[in-house]
Amino acid sequence: MNGYERRKQKKIEQIYSVSFQLFSKHGFQKVSVNEIAQNAKVSPATIYNYFGTKEQLYVGMLMNWMDKQLEQYENILDSELSFPEKTKEIMLLEARNLKILSDEFPKFPSSELNRLVQTVESYNEQKVMQFFMKFVALGKQEGFIHKDQTDEMTILYFTMYKNELGRYWAASNEESVYRNMDQWMELFFYGLVNRNQEQEQGEINNSPTRE
């Protein structure tokens, strides 16, 4: 990347950062391109040259934000944490991000909303699904996910859980979510089974038959 491209990319990142702050705080309709340009220290013409319209800027900003979230997921998965701890951190981040997205969608013009939803769904299919395939493969490799369980069903199970966690987050508060997260993880990995009873039953089943 040459000097011009680096400067351009720096401007784009600054525009995305300012846009996210302003759109999140005031909503799409109440934020003007001039206001974004002023806060990003660029000209309105620069924004129009880079993005075309305010709607296209918003979509680009959201995709940029999702890229950054996915990078955090990758960093967690590549970290030295145990697989359950990785799952916990990823699930918390995903629940928080779902709340942010659900707050952002109503701010976008209804006439353009279908296009935005399609863009997000396409992103999930192309990028997010690849990440969760890696997540499932690691869980199977480390023995935390049953190897006979299909990837499709495992991802569906994770999706149901993090969606419910997201709804709980929205209806409750962040402190409550963190306080109960260990129970969420216990249920995620072991369901409603009493692990001590399960272990005792396994020992009985595996013990030699007495004459």
Side-chain angles (χ1 to χ4, degrees), residues 138-173:
L138 181 63
K140 289 183 176 182
Q141 178 183 325
E142 296 190 6
F144 288 95
I145 298 176
H146 200 291
K147 290 186 177 180
D148 292 338
Q149 190 63 261
T150 65
D151 293 348
E152 181 183 7
M153 291 305 299
T154 304
I155 292 172
L156 176 62
Y157 179 67
F158 183 94
T159 301
M160 290 191 302
Y161 238 80
K162 56 97 171 173
N163 284 345
E164 286 305 314
L165 182 58
R167 279 189 276 270
Y168 179 60
W169 188 304
S172 184
N173 57 67

Side-chain angles (χ1 to χ4, degrees), residues 12 18 151 161 195:
I12 289 175
V18 168
D151 293 348
Y161 238 80
R195 280 197 289 161

Side-chain angles (χ1 to χ4, degrees), residues 11-183:
K11 285 182 182 179
I12 289 175
E13 289 292 334
Q14 180 64 14
I15 292 168
Y16 280 150
S17 177
V18 168
S19 298
F20 191 85
Q21 293 172 20
L22 292 175
F23 285 139
S24 298
K25 184 176 181 180
H26 304 294
F28 179 85
Q29 301 290 357
K30 294 183 179 179
V31 177
S32 68
V33 170
N34 286 346
E35 186 178 2
I36 295 170
Q38 183 178 2
N39 282 271
K41 296 180 172 54
V42 299
S43 69
T46 297
I47 293 179
Y48 287 117
N49 287 336
Y50 288 169
F51 303 102
T53 65
K54 189 170 79 165
E55 287 80 6
Q56 289 172 321
L57 166 60
Y58 187 94
V59 173
M61 172 210 73
L62 204 56
M63 295 301 101
N64 178 264
W65 175 81
M66 291 177 70
D67 277 340
K68 287 177 167 38
Q69 305 315 302
L70 190 57
E71 185 178 349
Q72 289 189 57
Y73 293 6
E74 294 280 3
N75 290 339
I76 293 170
L77 199 63
D78 293 339
S79 71
E80 297 300 319
L81 294 172
S82 67
F83 186 76
E85 282 296 318
K86 291 177 181 179
T87 303
K88 177 179 177 180
E89 294 299 318
I90 291 169
M91 197 175 287
L92 280 169
L93 186 57
E94 180 74 347
R96 188 198 71 181
N97 290 340
L98 284 174
K99 176 66 168 59
I100 291 173
L101 286 174
S102 67
D103 288 344
E104 286 300 313
F105 278 3
K107 299 174 184 176
F108 201 63
S110 57
S111 60
E112 298 285 335
L113 188 56
N114 284 341
R115 185 167 65 89
L116 178 63
V117 171
Q118 289 174 1
T119 301
V120 172
E121 288 177 347
S122 176
Y123 182 96
N124 286 335
E125 290 175 3
Q126 294 174 17
K127 293 187 177 182
V128 177
M129 189 57 65
Q130 290 182 15
F131 168 79
F132 280 109
M133 293 295 286
K134 286 173 56 180
F135 169 84
V136 171
L138 181 63
K140 289 183 176 182
Q141 178 183 325
E142 296 190 6
F144 288 95
I145 298 176
H146 200 291
K147 290 186 177 180
D148 292 338
Q149 190 63 261
T150 65
D151 293 348
E152 181 183 7
M153 291 305 299
T154 304
I155 292 172
L156 176 62
Y157 179 67
F158 183 94
T159 301
M160 290 191 302
Y161 238 80
K162 56 97 171 173
N163 284 345
E164 286 305 314
L165 182 58
R167 279 189 276 270
Y168 179 60
W169 188 304
S172 184
N173 57 67
E174 187 171 335
E175 182 181 349
S176 178
V177 172
Y178 277 96
R179 186 170 60 247
N180 295 316
M181 200 60 201
D182 286 343
Q183 290 187 51

Side-chain angles (χ1 to χ4, degrees), residues 165-205:
L165 182 58
R167 279 189 276 270
Y168 179 60
W169 188 304
S172 184
N173 57 67
E174 187 171 335
E175 182 181 349
S176 178
V177 172
Y178 277 96
R179 186 170 60 247
N180 295 316
M181 200 60 201
D182 286 343
Q183 290 187 51
W184 278 90
M185 289 296 97
E186 183 82 9
L187 286 169
F188 179 79
F189 282 107
Y190 304 105
L192 297 175
V193 173
N194 183 323
R195 280 197 289 161
N196 292 330
Q197 183 177 348
E198 184 183 43
Q199 183 176 0
E200 291 171 3
Q201 185 63 44
E203 290 173 353
I204 292 172
N205 293 338

